[in-house]
Amino acid sequence: LAKDRHIGAIGIEALAAARRAGIEPGYLFGVSETAIEGARCGLSYTIVCTSDATSGLVKKLQENGLDYKIISPAAK
């Protein structure tokens, strides 16, 4: 995450989790849309979200033909 300058958080729980990890997201509103537009311009984004928000986010990314990687702390 340190090299990613574009970090967004979807929801208050995700914002709190990011801050606990020492990360201050630069995007809090319209995160999905911002990331999609940025990706079209060649930018990389990291999006912090709850598991409840993941399926909606993935659907939007797939609809726009974007590659993504899911990293889950529960999987560690």
Side-chain angles (χ1 to χ4, degrees):
L1 286 177
K3 63 182 176 180
D4 290 323
R5 286 182 255 148
H6 305 287
I7 301 171
I10 298 175
I12 193 73
E13 296 91 351
L15 175 60
R19 287 181 173 167
R20 272 194 308 268
I23 300 164
E24 185 61 38
Y27 304 91
L28 301 175
F29 302 99
V31 174
S32 301
E33 294 78 8
T34 300
I36 289 167
E37 285 299 314
R40 289 183 181 146
C41 296
L43 300 174
S44 294
Y45 277 77
T46 297
I47 300 175
V48 181
C49 66
T50 63
S51 58
D52 293 343
T54 303
S55 62
L57 174 60
V58 167
K59 182 179 177 184
K60 288 179 183 180
L61 297 174
Q62 289 174 341
E63 288 172 349
N64 285 277
L66 298 174
D67 293 329
Y68 59 91
K69 180 179 180 181
I70 297 175
I71 301 170
S72 173
K76 290 182 179 181

